[in-house]
Protein backbone atom coordinates (compact mmCIF):
# COMPACT_ATOMS: atom_id res chain seq x y z
CA UNK A 1 0.00 0.00 0.00
CA UNK A 2 1.34 3.44 -0.91
CA UNK A 3 2.48 5.80 1.81
CA UNK A 4 0.18 8.65 2.75
CA UNK A 5 1.55 12.07 1.70
CA UNK A 6 2.97 14.16 4.60
CA UNK A 7 0.71 17.12 3.87
CA UNK A 8 -2.41 15.01 4.30
CA UNK A 9 -1.48 14.36 7.94
CA UNK A 10 -2.55 17.93 8.59
CA UNK A 11 -6.03 17.08 7.35
CA UNK A 12 -6.61 13.88 9.33
CA UNK A 13 -9.46 15.43 11.29
CA UNK A 14 -11.59 15.66 8.14
CA UNK A 15 -13.01 12.18 7.74
CA UNK A 16 -15.71 12.82 5.19
CA UNK A 17 -15.40 10.88 1.97
CA UNK A 18 -17.12 13.58 -0.06
CA UNK A 19 -14.57 16.15 1.04
CA UNK A 20 -11.71 13.91 -0.02
CA UNK A 21 -13.41 13.21 -3.35
CA UNK A 22 -13.83 16.91 -4.05
CA UNK A 23 -10.25 17.56 -3.01
CA UNK A 24 -8.92 14.80 -5.31
CA UNK A 25 -11.09 16.04 -8.19
CA UNK A 26 -9.74 19.59 -7.90
CA UNK A 27 -6.13 18.57 -7.30
CA UNK A 28 -5.90 16.13 -10.23
CA UNK A 29 -7.68 18.72 -12.40
CA UNK A 30 -5.02 21.30 -11.59
CA UNK A 31 -2.17 18.81 -11.96
CA UNK A 32 -3.09 17.82 -15.49
CA UNK A 33 -3.92 21.40 -16.41
CA UNK A 34 -0.20 22.04 -15.87
CA UNK A 35 0.72 19.42 -18.47
CA UNK A 36 -1.21 21.25 -21.18
CA UNK A 37 0.02 24.54 -19.79
CA UNK A 38 3.56 23.48 -20.77
CA UNK A 39 2.58 21.99 -24.16
CA UNK A 40 0.85 25.06 -25.57
CA UNK A 41 3.69 27.66 -25.66
CA UNK A 42 5.45 26.04 -28.63
CA UNK A 43 2.49 26.81 -30.90
CA UNK A 44 2.51 30.45 -29.76
CA UNK A 45 6.29 30.93 -30.05
CA UNK A 46 6.50 29.49 -33.57
CA UNK A 47 5.54 32.86 -35.06
CA UNK A 48 8.46 34.44 -33.19
CA UNK A 49 11.00 31.78 -34.16
CA UNK A 50 10.37 32.62 -37.80
CA UNK A 51 9.13 36.03 -38.92
CA UNK A 52 8.54 37.57 -42.32
CA UNK A 53 12.04 38.77 -43.12
CA UNK A 54 11.39 39.96 -46.68
CA UNK A 55 11.39 43.68 -46.01
CA UNK A 56 14.38 43.51 -43.70
CA UNK A 57 16.33 41.48 -46.27
CA UNK A 58 15.68 44.11 -48.96
CA UNK A 59 16.93 46.89 -46.69
CA UNK A 60 20.01 44.85 -45.83
CA UNK A 61 20.79 44.30 -49.51
CA UNK A 62 20.54 48.00 -50.31
CA UNK A 63 22.75 49.02 -47.42
CA UNK A 64 25.38 46.36 -48.01
CA UNK A 65 25.51 47.23 -51.74
CA UNK A 66 26.69 50.77 -51.10
CA UNK A 67 24.12 52.34 -53.43
CA UNK A 68 26.61 52.72 -56.33
CA UNK A 69 28.10 55.99 -55.03
CA UNK A 70 31.63 54.75 -54.99
CA UNK A 71 31.75 54.33 -51.27
CA UNK A 72 32.81 51.15 -49.60
CA UNK A 73 29.91 48.74 -48.97
CA UNK A 74 28.51 48.94 -45.50
CA UNK A 75 28.82 45.88 -43.25
CA UNK A 76 25.91 43.50 -43.82
CA UNK A 77 23.10 43.61 -41.32
CA UNK A 78 22.56 40.55 -39.17
CA UNK A 79 19.18 39.87 -40.69
CA UNK A 80 18.77 36.42 -39.24
CA UNK A 81 19.47 37.56 -35.70
CA UNK A 82 17.25 40.65 -36.02
CA UNK A 83 14.38 38.81 -37.67
CA UNK A 84 14.20 35.05 -37.13
CA UNK A 85 15.80 32.71 -34.62
CA UNK A 86 18.40 30.38 -36.04
CA UNK A 87 18.10 27.60 -37.14
CA UNK A 88 14.46 28.42 -37.98
CA UNK A 89 15.44 31.25 -40.35
CA UNK A 90 15.81 29.06 -43.44
CA UNK A 91 13.32 28.37 -46.20
CA UNK A 92 12.57 24.94 -44.75
CA UNK A 93 11.46 26.44 -41.42
CA UNK A 94 8.06 24.76 -41.67
CA UNK A 95 9.71 21.35 -41.74
CA UNK A 96 11.96 22.27 -38.81
CA UNK A 97 9.09 23.59 -36.71
CA UNK A 98 7.06 20.53 -37.64
CA UNK A 99 9.93 18.30 -36.61
CA UNK A 100 9.66 19.67 -33.07
CA UNK A 101 5.96 18.83 -32.97
CA UNK A 102 6.45 15.32 -34.32
CA UNK A 103 9.42 14.60 -32.06
CA UNK A 104 7.30 15.41 -29.02
CA UNK A 105 4.24 13.47 -30.24
CA UNK A 106 6.17 10.38 -31.34
CA UNK A 107 8.13 10.27 -28.09
CA UNK A 108 4.85 10.68 -26.20
CA UNK A 109 3.24 7.79 -28.10
CA UNK A 110 6.18 5.45 -27.45
CA UNK A 111 6.64 6.45 -23.84
CA UNK A 112 2.96 6.07 -22.96
CA UNK A 113 3.11 2.27 -23.24
CA UNK A 114 6.06 2.17 -20.84
CA UNK A 115 4.60 4.64 -18.35
CA UNK A 116 1.49 2.59 -17.74
CA UNK A 117 3.56 -0.45 -16.80
CA UNK A 118 5.87 1.61 -14.58
CA UNK A 119 2.92 3.33 -12.93
CA UNK A 120 1.53 -0.02 -11.76
CA UNK A 121 4.77 -0.92 -10.00
CA UNK A 122 5.68 2.22 -8.06
CA UNK A 123 3.52 4.61 -6.04
CA UNK A 124 1.58 6.86 -8.39
CA UNK A 125 2.18 9.90 -6.19
CA UNK A 126 5.96 9.53 -6.52
CA UNK A 127 5.77 8.67 -10.22
CA UNK A 128 3.65 11.74 -10.96
CA UNK A 129 5.79 14.01 -8.77
CA UNK A 130 9.03 13.01 -10.49
CA UNK A 131 7.37 13.36 -13.88
CA UNK A 132 6.12 16.87 -13.17
CA UNK A 133 9.47 18.01 -11.77
CA UNK A 134 11.34 16.61 -14.78
CA UNK A 135 8.83 18.02 -17.26
CA UNK A 136 9.12 21.43 -15.63
CA UNK A 137 12.90 21.17 -16.00
CA UNK A 138 12.79 20.31 -19.71
CA UNK A 139 10.21 23.03 -20.40
CA UNK A 140 12.51 25.55 -18.73
CA UNK A 141 15.46 24.21 -20.73
CA UNK A 142 13.68 25.04 -23.98
CA UNK A 143 13.23 28.62 -22.77
CA UNK A 144 16.85 28.80 -21.64
CA UNK A 145 17.76 28.36 -25.31
CA UNK A 146 16.78 32.00 -25.69
CA UNK A 147 18.56 33.12 -22.53
CA UNK A 148 21.86 31.47 -23.52
CA UNK A 149 21.49 32.18 -27.26
CA UNK A 150 21.40 28.51 -28.35
CA UNK A 151 20.82 27.95 -32.08
CA UNK A 152 21.33 24.19 -32.35
CA UNK A 153 18.36 22.30 -33.78
CA UNK A 154 19.59 19.16 -32.03
CA UNK A 155 19.24 20.89 -28.65
CA UNK A 156 15.60 21.75 -29.18
CA UNK A 157 14.75 18.33 -30.62
CA UNK A 158 16.40 16.51 -27.71
CA UNK A 159 14.51 18.67 -25.22
CA UNK A 160 11.23 17.96 -27.03
CA UNK A 161 11.86 14.21 -27.14
CA UNK A 162 12.79 14.12 -23.46
CA UNK A 163 9.75 16.19 -22.52
CA UNK A 164 7.47 13.99 -24.63
CA UNK A 165 8.74 10.87 -22.88
CA UNK A 166 8.49 12.26 -19.35
CA UNK A 167 5.04 13.80 -19.84
CA UNK A 168 3.61 10.33 -20.31
CA UNK A 169 3.74 10.01 -16.54
CA UNK A 170 0.79 12.36 -16.26
CA UNK A 171 -2.26 10.88 -17.93
CA UNK A 172 -2.17 7.29 -16.59
CA UNK A 173 -1.52 8.62 -13.09
CA UNK A 174 -4.32 11.17 -12.87
CA UNK A 175 -6.87 8.86 -14.55
CA UNK A 176 -5.95 6.11 -12.11
CA UNK A 177 -6.43 8.45 -9.14
CA UNK A 178 -9.75 9.84 -10.32
CA UNK A 179 -10.93 6.34 -11.25
CA UNK A 180 -10.06 5.03 -7.79
CA UNK A 181 -12.04 7.74 -6.04
CA UNK A 182 -15.17 7.88 -8.20
CA UNK A 183 -17.29 4.80 -8.78
CA UNK A 184 -19.13 3.80 -11.90
CA UNK A 185 -22.46 5.41 -10.97
CA UNK A 186 -21.92 8.88 -12.51
CA UNK A 187 -18.41 8.35 -13.81
CA UNK A 188 -19.25 9.64 -17.29
CA UNK A 189 -20.59 12.98 -16.05
CA UNK A 190 -17.84 13.46 -13.47
CA UNK A 191 -15.04 12.67 -15.90
CA UNK A 192 -16.67 14.76 -18.62
CA UNK A 193 -16.45 17.76 -16.32
CA UNK A 194 -12.98 16.79 -15.12
CA UNK A 195 -11.64 16.38 -18.67
CA UNK A 196 -12.10 20.11 -19.35
CA UNK A 197 -8.64 20.56 -17.82
CA UNK A 198 -7.24 20.10 -21.32
CA UNK A 199 -8.92 23.23 -22.65
CA UNK A 200 -8.22 25.18 -19.47
CA UNK A 201 -4.52 24.32 -19.73
CA UNK A 202 -4.43 25.31 -23.41
CA UNK A 203 -6.06 28.67 -22.68
CA UNK A 204 -3.76 29.47 -19.75
CA UNK A 205 -0.72 28.36 -21.73
CA UNK A 206 -1.70 30.66 -24.59
CA UNK A 207 -2.16 33.63 -22.27
CA UNK A 208 1.14 33.12 -20.44
CA UNK A 209 3.14 32.48 -23.60
CA UNK A 210 1.50 35.37 -25.43
CA UNK A 211 2.42 37.82 -22.68
CA UNK A 212 6.17 37.37 -23.21
CA UNK A 213 6.39 36.05 -26.77
CA UNK A 214 7.28 39.39 -28.40
CA UNK A 215 9.74 40.59 -25.75
CA UNK A 216 11.40 37.47 -24.32
CA UNK A 217 10.02 34.20 -25.68
CA UNK A 218 12.22 32.26 -23.31
CA UNK A 219 9.91 33.26 -20.44
CA UNK A 220 7.01 31.77 -22.41
CA UNK A 221 8.51 28.40 -21.49
CA UNK A 222 10.30 29.16 -18.22
CA UNK A 223 7.21 30.47 -16.41
CA UNK A 224 5.00 27.45 -17.29
CA UNK A 225 7.91 25.15 -16.44
CA UNK A 226 8.25 26.67 -12.98
CA UNK A 227 4.50 26.38 -12.42
CA UNK A 228 4.66 22.71 -13.41
CA UNK A 229 7.53 22.04 -11.00
CA UNK A 230 5.76 23.85 -8.16
CA UNK A 231 2.62 21.77 -8.68
CA UNK A 232 4.81 18.67 -8.62
CA UNK A 233 5.77 19.57 -5.05
CA UNK A 234 2.08 20.06 -4.20
CA UNK A 235 1.38 16.64 -5.69
CA UNK A 236 3.98 15.01 -3.43
CA UNK A 237 2.54 16.47 -0.23
CA UNK A 238 -1.19 16.21 -0.88
CA UNK A 239 -2.19 13.61 -3.49
CA UNK A 240 -3.96 10.50 -2.14
CA UNK A 241 -3.91 7.67 -4.67
CA UNK A 242 -6.74 5.53 -3.32
CA UNK A 243 -9.43 5.77 -0.60
CA UNK A 244 -7.94 2.67 1.01
CA UNK A 245 -4.79 4.64 1.77
CA UNK A 246 -6.78 6.60 4.34
CA UNK A 247 -7.41 3.40 6.29
CA UNK A 248 -3.70 2.99 6.89
CA UNK A 249 -3.54 6.57 8.13
CA UNK A 250 -6.39 6.02 10.59
CA UNK A 251 -4.91 2.73 11.73
CA UNK A 252 -1.70 4.55 12.66
CA UNK A 253 -3.71 6.58 15.17
CA UNK A 254 -4.77 3.42 17.02
CA UNK A 255 -2.09 0.79 16.47
CA UNK A 256 -2.25 -2.74 17.94
CA UNK A 257 -1.40 -3.22 21.60
CA UNK A 258 1.90 -4.99 20.80
CA UNK A 259 3.31 -1.80 19.28
CA UNK A 260 1.69 0.79 21.54
CA UNK A 261 3.04 0.01 25.00
CA UNK A 262 3.57 3.68 25.88
CA UNK A 263 0.04 4.71 25.05
CA UNK A 264 -1.92 1.60 25.98
CA UNK A 265 -2.80 2.84 29.45
CA UNK A 266 -3.89 6.22 28.13
CA UNK A 267 -6.59 4.76 25.88
CA UNK A 268 -9.91 3.25 26.87
CA UNK A 269 -9.85 -0.48 26.36
CA UNK A 270 -12.63 -0.34 23.81
CA UNK A 271 -10.61 1.90 21.51
CA UNK A 272 -7.76 -0.53 20.87
CA UNK A 273 -7.25 -0.85 17.10
CA UNK A 274 -7.97 -4.59 16.92
CA UNK A 275 -11.02 -4.08 14.66
CA UNK A 276 -8.91 -2.11 12.19
CA UNK A 277 -5.87 -4.38 12.26
CA UNK A 278 -7.33 -7.31 10.30
CA UNK A 279 -8.33 -4.99 7.46
CA UNK A 280 -4.81 -3.66 7.04
CA UNK A 281 -3.15 -7.06 7.35
CA UNK A 282 -5.47 -8.74 4.88
CA UNK A 283 -4.94 -5.91 2.42
CA UNK A 284 -1.19 -6.27 2.53
CA UNK A 285 -1.20 -10.04 2.32
CA UNK A 286 -3.58 -10.06 -0.64
CA UNK A 287 -1.97 -7.14 -2.49
CA UNK A 288 -2.61 -7.86 -6.20
CA UNK A 289 0.29 -8.12 -8.57
CA UNK A 290 0.58 -5.63 -11.44
CA UNK A 291 -1.07 -6.78 -14.65
CA UNK A 292 1.14 -7.58 -17.63
CA UNK A 293 0.90 -5.78 -20.96
CA UNK A 294 -0.62 -8.83 -22.68
CA UNK A 295 -2.93 -9.36 -19.74
CA UNK A 296 -4.28 -5.83 -20.16
CA UNK A 297 -4.84 -6.43 -23.86
CA UNK A 298 -6.97 -9.47 -23.03
CA UNK A 299 -9.47 -7.38 -21.07
CA UNK A 300 -12.64 -7.30 -23.20
CA UNK A 301 -12.89 -4.00 -25.06
CA UNK A 302 -9.32 -2.73 -24.63
CA UNK A 303 -8.20 -3.51 -28.19
CA UNK A 304 -11.38 -2.11 -29.78
CA UNK A 305 -11.37 1.13 -27.84
CA UNK A 306 -7.60 1.58 -28.30
CA UNK A 307 -7.85 1.33 -32.09
CA UNK A 308 -10.96 3.49 -32.10
CA UNK A 309 -9.08 6.19 -30.18
CA UNK A 310 -6.24 6.04 -32.72
CA UNK A 311 -8.58 7.38 -35.39
CA UNK A 312 -10.56 9.64 -33.05
CA UNK A 313 -7.40 11.30 -31.76
CA UNK A 314 -6.10 11.60 -35.32
CA UNK A 315 -9.09 13.81 -36.10
CA UNK A 316 -8.80 15.76 -32.85
CA UNK A 317 -5.12 16.61 -33.21
CA UNK A 318 -5.47 17.47 -36.89
CA UNK A 319 -7.92 20.17 -35.85
CA UNK A 320 -5.60 21.22 -33.04
CA UNK A 321 -2.63 21.86 -35.35
CA UNK A 322 -4.35 22.91 -38.58
CA UNK A 323 -7.67 24.58 -37.72
CA UNK A 324 -6.31 28.16 -37.31
CA UNK A 325 -4.55 27.97 -40.67
CA UNK A 326 -7.64 26.55 -42.37
CA UNK A 327 -9.85 29.34 -40.98
CA UNK A 328 -7.30 31.90 -42.17
CA UNK A 329 -7.47 30.58 -45.73
CA UNK A 330 -11.17 29.69 -45.88
CA UNK A 331 -12.68 32.71 -44.11
CA UNK A 332 -9.99 35.21 -45.20
CA UNK A 333 -9.16 36.26 -41.64
CA UNK A 334 -5.86 37.32 -40.15
CA UNK A 335 -3.96 34.93 -37.91
CA UNK A 336 -5.07 36.49 -34.62
CA UNK A 337 -8.78 36.45 -35.47
CA UNK A 338 -8.50 32.91 -36.81
CA UNK A 339 -6.78 31.80 -33.61
CA UNK A 340 -9.46 33.40 -31.45
CA UNK A 341 -12.19 31.84 -33.55
CA UNK A 342 -10.61 28.40 -33.33
CA UNK A 343 -11.09 28.42 -29.53
CA UNK A 344 -14.80 27.84 -30.20
CA UNK A 345 -13.82 24.33 -31.24
CA UNK A 346 -12.44 23.78 -27.72
CA UNK A 347 -15.59 25.25 -26.17
CA UNK A 348 -17.67 22.81 -28.18
CA UNK A 349 -15.31 20.06 -27.09
CA UNK A 350 -15.95 20.77 -23.42
CA UNK A 351 -19.71 20.61 -23.98
CA UNK A 352 -19.34 17.47 -26.09
CA UNK A 353 -17.26 15.69 -23.47
CA UNK A 354 -19.80 16.44 -20.74
CA UNK A 355 -22.71 15.48 -22.99
CA UNK A 356 -21.07 12.19 -23.92
CA UNK A 357 -20.57 11.38 -20.24
CA UNK A 358 -24.17 12.19 -19.33
CA UNK A 359 -25.63 10.18 -22.21
CA UNK A 360 -23.41 7.17 -21.55
CA UNK A 361 -24.35 7.23 -17.86
CA UNK A 362 -28.02 7.45 -18.71
CA UNK A 363 -27.96 4.70 -21.35
CA UNK A 364 -25.32 2.60 -19.61
CA UNK A 365 -23.64 2.08 -22.99
CA UNK A 366 -20.25 3.66 -23.59
CA UNK A 367 -19.57 2.15 -27.04
CA UNK A 368 -23.04 3.00 -28.35
CA UNK A 369 -22.65 6.62 -27.26
CA UNK A 370 -19.32 6.88 -29.07
CA UNK A 371 -20.70 5.35 -32.26
CA UNK A 372 -23.67 7.72 -32.34
CA UNK A 373 -21.41 10.76 -32.03
CA UNK A 374 -18.94 9.42 -34.60
CA UNK A 375 -21.79 8.73 -37.01
CA UNK A 376 -22.98 12.32 -36.69
CA UNK A 377 -19.46 13.75 -36.87
CA UNK A 378 -18.67 12.53 -40.41
CA UNK A 379 -21.40 14.48 -42.27
CA UNK A 380 -20.84 17.45 -39.95
CA UNK A 381 -17.20 17.57 -41.00
CA UNK A 382 -18.27 17.62 -44.64
CA UNK A 383 -20.72 20.43 -43.93
CA UNK A 384 -18.02 22.40 -42.15
CA UNK A 385 -15.79 22.19 -45.22
CA UNK A 386 -18.59 23.67 -47.37
CA UNK A 387 -19.69 26.70 -45.32
CA UNK A 388 -16.69 28.99 -45.61
CA UNK A 389 -18.58 31.25 -48.00
CA UNK A 390 -21.75 31.59 -45.92
CA UNK A 391 -20.57 34.18 -43.41
CA UNK A 392 -19.35 34.18 -39.84
CA UNK A 393 -22.54 32.91 -38.20
CA UNK A 394 -22.54 29.45 -39.83
CA UNK A 395 -18.80 29.09 -39.21
CA UNK A 396 -19.24 29.79 -35.50
CA UNK A 397 -22.12 27.32 -35.25
CA UNK A 398 -20.28 24.57 -37.11
CA UNK A 399 -17.15 25.07 -35.01
CA UNK A 400 -19.17 24.46 -31.85
CA UNK A 401 -20.97 21.42 -33.29
CA UNK A 402 -17.82 19.89 -34.79
CA UNK A 403 -15.94 20.45 -31.55
CA UNK A 404 -18.62 18.64 -29.58
CA UNK A 405 -18.93 15.66 -31.91
CA UNK A 406 -15.19 15.24 -32.49
CA UNK A 407 -14.15 15.65 -28.85
CA UNK A 408 -17.07 13.77 -27.28
CA UNK A 409 -15.90 10.21 -28.14
CA UNK A 410 -12.26 11.19 -27.59
CA UNK A 411 -12.97 12.53 -24.09
CA UNK A 412 -15.23 9.60 -23.16
CA UNK A 413 -12.72 6.93 -24.22
CA UNK A 414 -9.71 8.52 -22.54
CA UNK A 415 -11.53 9.01 -19.22
CA UNK A 416 -14.65 7.03 -18.30
CA UNK A 417 -14.05 4.11 -20.66
CA UNK A 418 -10.42 3.76 -19.54
CA UNK A 419 -11.53 3.76 -15.90
CA UNK A 420 -14.27 1.20 -16.65
CA UNK A 421 -11.89 -1.16 -18.42
CA UNK A 422 -9.19 -0.73 -15.79
CA UNK A 423 -11.67 -2.01 -13.18
CA UNK A 424 -13.35 -4.64 -15.35
CA UNK A 425 -14.96 -7.61 -13.62
CA UNK A 426 -12.52 -10.00 -15.33
CA UNK A 427 -9.77 -8.54 -13.13
CA UNK A 428 -11.51 -9.94 -10.03
CA UNK A 429 -10.81 -6.90 -7.91
CA UNK A 430 -7.26 -6.21 -9.11
CA UNK A 431 -7.39 -2.42 -9.37
CA UNK A 432 -3.70 -2.19 -10.26
CA UNK A 433 -4.51 -2.62 -13.97
CA UNK A 434 -5.98 0.85 -14.35
CA UNK A 435 -2.73 2.65 -15.13
CA UNK A 436 -1.62 0.06 -17.71
CA UNK A 437 -5.01 0.01 -19.44
CA UNK A 438 -5.12 3.81 -19.57
CA UNK A 439 -1.61 3.95 -21.03
CA UNK A 440 -2.39 1.34 -23.70
CA UNK A 441 -5.53 3.17 -24.82
CA UNK A 442 -4.02 6.66 -24.82
CA UNK A 443 -0.69 5.45 -26.21
CA UNK A 444 -2.42 3.88 -29.21
CA UNK A 445 -4.41 7.07 -29.64
CA UNK A 446 -1.21 9.11 -29.55
CA UNK A 447 0.00 7.28 -32.66
CA UNK A 448 -2.99 8.76 -34.46
CA UNK A 449 -2.20 12.16 -32.90
CA UNK A 450 1.22 12.06 -34.55
CA UNK A 451 -0.08 10.81 -37.91
CA UNK A 452 -3.03 13.20 -38.30
CA UNK A 453 -1.15 16.51 -38.59
CA UNK A 454 1.48 14.86 -40.79
CA UNK A 455 -1.13 13.51 -43.24
CA UNK A 456 -2.97 16.82 -43.22
CA UNK A 457 0.20 18.64 -44.21
CA UNK A 458 0.76 16.29 -47.12
CA UNK A 459 -2.86 16.22 -48.33
CA UNK A 460 -3.41 19.97 -48.07
CA UNK A 461 -1.12 20.40 -51.11
CA UNK A 462 -3.98 18.95 -53.18
CA UNK A 463 -6.63 21.07 -51.50
CA UNK A 464 -8.39 21.22 -48.13
CA UNK A 465 -11.15 18.94 -49.39
CA UNK A 466 -8.67 16.06 -49.33
CA UNK A 467 -7.95 16.76 -45.65
CA UNK A 468 -11.63 16.63 -44.75
CA UNK A 469 -12.10 13.40 -46.70
CA UNK A 470 -9.28 11.92 -44.64
CA UNK A 471 -10.93 13.09 -41.41
CA UNK A 472 -14.30 11.65 -42.41
CA UNK A 473 -12.66 8.32 -43.29
CA UNK A 474 -10.94 8.26 -39.90
CA UNK A 475 -14.28 8.85 -38.13
CA UNK A 476 -15.88 6.07 -40.16
CA UNK A 477 -13.11 3.61 -39.29
CA UNK A 478 -13.33 4.56 -35.61
CA UNK A 479 -17.04 3.82 -35.71
CA UNK A 480 -16.55 0.43 -37.40
CA UNK A 481 -14.10 -0.69 -34.73
CA UNK A 482 -16.78 -0.36 -32.03
CA UNK A 483 -19.63 -2.11 -33.82
CA UNK A 484 -18.97 -5.47 -32.12
CA UNK A 485 -19.16 -3.86 -28.71
CA UNK A 486 -22.32 -2.00 -29.69
CA UNK A 487 -24.01 -5.24 -30.71
CA UNK A 488 -22.92 -6.75 -27.40
CA UNK A 489 -24.31 -3.81 -25.43
CA UNK A 490 -27.62 -3.79 -27.26
CA UNK A 491 -28.04 -7.54 -26.91
CA UNK A 492 -27.96 -7.18 -23.12
CA UNK A 493 -30.64 -4.49 -22.96
CA UNK A 494 -33.23 -6.98 -21.76
CA UNK A 495 -31.07 -7.81 -18.72
CA UNK A 496 -30.62 -4.59 -16.71
CA UNK A 497 -28.47 -6.20 -14.06
CA UNK A 498 -25.74 -6.94 -16.60
CA UNK A 499 -26.55 -4.44 -19.31
CA UNK A 500 -23.15 -2.77 -19.20
CA UNK A 501 -20.51 -5.42 -18.99
CA UNK A 502 -17.66 -2.98 -19.53
CA UNK A 503 -18.64 -0.99 -16.45
CA UNK A 504 -18.82 -3.81 -13.96
CA UNK A 505 -16.08 -4.08 -11.35
Amino acid sequence: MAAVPPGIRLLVSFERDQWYKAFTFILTFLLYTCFHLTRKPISIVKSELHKNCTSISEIATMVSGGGGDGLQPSPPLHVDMDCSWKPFDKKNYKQLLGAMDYSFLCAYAVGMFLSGIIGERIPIRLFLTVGMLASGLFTCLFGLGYVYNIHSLAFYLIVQVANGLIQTSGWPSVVTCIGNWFGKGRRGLIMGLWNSHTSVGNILGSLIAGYWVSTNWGLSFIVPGLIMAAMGVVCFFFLIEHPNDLKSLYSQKSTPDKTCYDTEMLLPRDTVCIPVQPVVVVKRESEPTPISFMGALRIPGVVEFSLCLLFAKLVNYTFLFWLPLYITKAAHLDAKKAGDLSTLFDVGGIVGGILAGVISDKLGKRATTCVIMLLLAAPTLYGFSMISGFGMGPIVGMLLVCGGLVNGPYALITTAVSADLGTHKSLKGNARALSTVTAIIDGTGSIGAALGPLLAGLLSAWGWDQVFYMLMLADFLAMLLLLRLVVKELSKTSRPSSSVELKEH
Side-chain angles (χ1 to χ4, degrees):
M1 183 179 298
V4 177
I8 293 300
R9 299 180 186 278
L10 300 175
L11 307 174
V12 170
S13 58
F14 297 94
E15 300 180 357
R16 298 173 181 171
D17 290 343
Q18 294 303 318
W19 192 97
Y20 283 114
K21 284 184 177 181
F23 178 79
T24 303
F25 183 97
I26 295 172
L27 180 58
T28 53
F29 182 97
L30 294 175
L31 293 178
Y32 205 72
T33 295
C34 291
F35 281 85
H36 276 266
L37 180 74
T38 58
R39 294 178 194 176
K40 188 63 177 179
I42 186 63
S43 64
I44 305 299
V45 174
K46 281 179 181 177
S47 61
E48 190 70 18
L49 294 178
H50 184 90
K51 298 180 179 179
N52 186 356
C53 304
T54 303
S55 59
I56 299 179
S57 298
E58 292 175 353
I59 295 174
T61 302
M62 294 176 59
V63 174
S64 62
D69 55 2
L71 299 176
Q72 292 295 327
S74 302
L77 295 177
H78 294 284
V79 178
D80 295 336
M81 291 300 297
D82 293 338
C83 185
S84 294
W85 186 266
K86 293 181 180 180
F88 307 104
D89 56 334
K90 305 298 188 297
K91 292 182 179 180
N92 65 336
Y93 72 95
K94 290 183 179 179
Q95 288 81 359
L96 299 181
L97 293 173
M100 292 198 299
D101 293 332
Y102 301 137
S103 61
F104 178 90
L105 291 171
C106 291
Y108 187 87
V110 173
M112 184 61 72
F113 295 101
L114 300 176
S115 291
I117 298 175
I118 296 173
E120 299 289 1
R121 288 159 173 79
I122 64 176
I124 289 176
R125 178 172 60 90
L126 297 180
F127 184 48
L128 185 56
T129 297
V130 173
M132 295 187 72
L133 292 175
S135 180
L137 171 64
F138 288 120
T139 303
C140 289
L141 279 177
F142 198 104
L144 290 176
Y146 175 88
V147 177
Y148 291 101
N149 206 26
I150 299 175
H151 299 280
S152 170
L153 178 64
F155 170 81
Y156 296 105
L157 290 180
I158 291 173
V159 170
Q160 284 290 83
V161 170
N163 207 2
L165 288 172
I166 202 66
Q167 284 217 0
T168 59
S169 62
W171 189 245
S173 299
V174 294
V175 172
T176 299
C177 288
I178 202 74
N180 288 338
W181 276 94
F182 292 91
K184 61 183 180 180
R186 291 183 297 170
R187 182 176 279 168
L189 170 61
I190 292 171
M191 288 197 163
L193 292 168
W194 177 75
N195 194 57
S196 62
H197 50 49
T198 299
S199 298
V200 173
N202 289 337
I203 294 171
L204 292 177
S206 298
L207 293 176
I208 293 175
Y211 185 81
W212 281 290
V213 64
S214 299
T215 56
N216 184 346
W217 63 257
L219 291 176
S220 297
F221 292 92
I222 294 174
V223 172
L226 293 176
I227 294 175
M228 169 75 105
M231 288 302 296
V233 176
V234 173
C235 171
F236 175 78
F237 281 100
F238 293 100
L239 181 65
I240 306 178
E241 302 174 18
H242 198 284
N244 289 339
D245 292 340
L246 292 175
K247 296 179 181 179
S248 64
L249 178 61
Y250 297 145
S251 66
Q252 291 173 12
K253 297 169 60 180
S254 54
T255 52
D257 55 352
K258 290 185 179 180
T259 58
C260 304
Y261 298 112
D262 294 336
T263 60
E264 183 178 4
M265 299 303 297
L266 300 177
L267 299 173
R269 298 191 62 83
D270 58 353
T271 61
V272 179
C273 58
I274 292 178
V276 179
Q277 181 185 16
V279 177
V280 177
V281 173
V282 171
K283 175 67 178 176
R284 290 183 180 273
E285 289 179 353
S286 60
E287 186 73 22
T289 58
I291 193 171
S292 65
F293 184 86
M294 294 305 299
L297 288 177
R298 286 193 290 267
I299 298 174
V302 168
V303 173
E304 290 91 337
F305 276 113
S306 296
L307 294 177
C308 173
L309 186 64
L310 187 151
F311 293 105
K313 203 166 183 178
L314 181 152
V315 177
N316 183 277
Y317 270 67
T318 300
F319 272 96
L320 177 66
F321 282 96
W322 289 93
L323 182 58
L325 179 60
Y326 172 75
I327 295 176
T328 300
K329 302 297 183 182
H332 306 289
L333 299 175
D334 58 45
K336 184 180 185 305
K337 291 181 179 179
D340 294 340
L341 194 61
S342 66
T343 59
L344 294 175
F345 183 83
D346 291 325
V347 174
I350 294 175
V351 177
I354 297 173
L355 186 62
V358 172
I359 294 175
S360 66
D361 283 343
K362 186 69 175 180
L363 298 179
K365 297 174 175 61
R366 307 288 197 211
T368 303
T369 302
C370 290
V371 166
I372 292 173
M373 300 189 80
L374 290 169
L375 182 62
L376 295 174
T380 303
L381 290 173
Y382 180 77
F384 179 68
S385 67
M386 304 296 293
I387 64 165
S388 58
F390 291 91
M392 191 61 63
I395 292 178
V396 169
M398 291 301 289
L399 278 171
L400 292 171
V401 175
C402 284
L405 294 176
V406 168
N407 283 280
Y410 165 63
L412 186 62
I413 293 173
T414 54
T415 55
V417 169
S418 296
D420 290 343
L421 294 174
T423 53
H424 191 265
K425 68 176 185 179
S426 65
L427 297 172
K428 299 179 180 180
N430 183 0
R432 298 188 66 181
L434 184 52
S435 180
T436 300
V437 170
T438 300
I440 290 175
I441 293 176
D442 197 55
T444 305
S446 296
I447 297 174
L451 290 176
L454 176 62
L455 293 176
L458 296 174
L459 294 174
S460 61
W462 286 274
W464 286 103
D465 287 344
Q466 305 302 318
V467 176
F468 280 95
Y469 292 149
M470 181 264 290
L471 297 179
M472 287 185 283
L473 177 61
D475 267 332
F476 180 72
L477 293 174
M479 181 183 63
L480 288 180
L481 288 165
L482 294 183
L483 287 182
R484 187 186 71 85
L485 298 179
V486 171
V487 172
K488 193 173 183 179
E489 287 181 346
L490 296 178
S491 66
K492 295 179 178 292
T493 303
S494 59
R495 293 182 294 171
S497 62
S498 59
S499 59
V500 191
E501 182 174 347
L502 290 179
K503 292 177 61 181
E504 294 179 359
H505 287 232

